[in-house]
């Protein structure tokens, strides 16, 4: 398998399926595209996908061009990796949380881009951002409480891959969910995601890369 990804310091979408492939223990090659270079970026993506975005997974002649679809595919192809929880209620909520991240939290995404090599510094919290942070705190508290942690739906799942970039945003912009109605378990969960051994490998590569990669 080949995973085509974007610049590691910025590409939250690429980080998710990369983590999932690592957790599944799948052998894969990585092809890096330099983001934020306009036509040059598109020129690098074009040989891999007609849809102009990364991540893209290639498995033989099969092309999958969306991060959530890639994660679902890996879960189906490698069922022993248990990338979704076995228990139906936990699985349903893990999927719902992933879907919420995939299509929501737009204020958080816009105000707090992932920049893995940036020193932490606070930002101004607008009403829209505060609303997303409250939603995030509610979601994490609800799931950690119901499934008992240490991850969102019990043991590590695709949902945790989806929220690892969020945890990095909270750290970079010095945002504590306890300031937005969350319990201490929510902030502890975010910190836990950033201690993950695979995430640390990604982060080290992001920080070691030259500024344009
Ligand atoms: N919904 C897509 C979003 C992917 C996406 O937005 N990718 C961005 C990079 S993180 C991209 O490829 N941008 C192309 C460009 O900047 O030219 C997914 O989940 O895979």
């Amino acid at each position: 398998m080949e995973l085509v990804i974007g610049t590691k310091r910025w590409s939250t979408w690429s980080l998710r399926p990369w983590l999932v492939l690592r957790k599944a223990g799948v052998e894969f090659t990585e092809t890096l595209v330099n983001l934020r270079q306009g036509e040059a970026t598109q020129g690098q993506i074009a040989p891999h996908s007609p849809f102009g975005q990364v991540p893209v997974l290639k498995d033989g002649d099969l092309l999958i061009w969306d991060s959530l679809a890639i994660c679902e595919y890996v879960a189906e192809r490698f069922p022993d990796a248990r990338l979704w929880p076995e228990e139906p209620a936990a699985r349903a909520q893990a999927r719902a949380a992933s879907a919420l991240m995939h299509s929501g939290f737009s204020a958080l995404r816009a105000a707090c881009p992932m920049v893995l090599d940036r020193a932490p510094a606070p930002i101004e919290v607008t009403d829209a951002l505060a609303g997303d942070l409250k939603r995030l705190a509610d979601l994490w508290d609800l799931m950690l409480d119901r499934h008992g942690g240490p991850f969102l739906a019990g043991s590590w799942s695709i949902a945790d891959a989806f929220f690892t970039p969020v945890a990095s945003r909270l750290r970079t912009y010095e945002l504590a969910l306890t300031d937005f109605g969350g319990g201490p378990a929510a902030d502890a969960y975010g910190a836990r995601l950033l201690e993950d051994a695979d995430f640390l490998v990604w982060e080290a590569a992001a920080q070691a890369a030259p500024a344009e990669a």
Side-chain angles (χ1 to χ4, degrees), residues 17 37 39 41 113 122 135 143 152-155 167 180 192 194 201 206:
Q37 296 186 1
E39 282 183 23
T41 296
R135 233 178 321 278
M143 292 192 63
L152 264 197
S155 48
F180 300 91
R192 193 170 303 127
L194 300 181
V201 170

Side-chain angles (χ1 to χ4, degrees), residues 24-107:
V26 179
E27 293 260 335
F28 65 103
T29 58
E30 238 177 81
T31 301
L32 190 67
V33 164
N34 297 321
L35 294 174
R36 303 190 186 172
Q37 296 186 1
E39 282 183 23
T41 296
Q42 286 302 310
Q44 287 180 42
I45 296 175
H48 303 290
S49 167
F51 304 119
Q53 289 189 328
V54 288
V56 170
L57 183 72
K58 297 193 230 172
D59 187 11
D61 66 355
L62 176 68
L63 183 71
I64 309 174
W65 54 86
D66 174 85
S67 57
L68 184 53
I70 294 170
C71 294
E72 289 281 9
Y73 177 73
V74 176
E76 287 184 12
R77 192 127 158 11
F78 303 96
D80 291 346
R82 307 215 189 296
L83 294 168
W84 290 119
E86 273 187 276
E87 199 262 313
R91 190 164 63 245
Q93 288 201 335
R95 282 203 159 104
S98 305
L100 198 58
M101 185 62 235
H102 200 49
S103 59
F105 295 107
S106 51

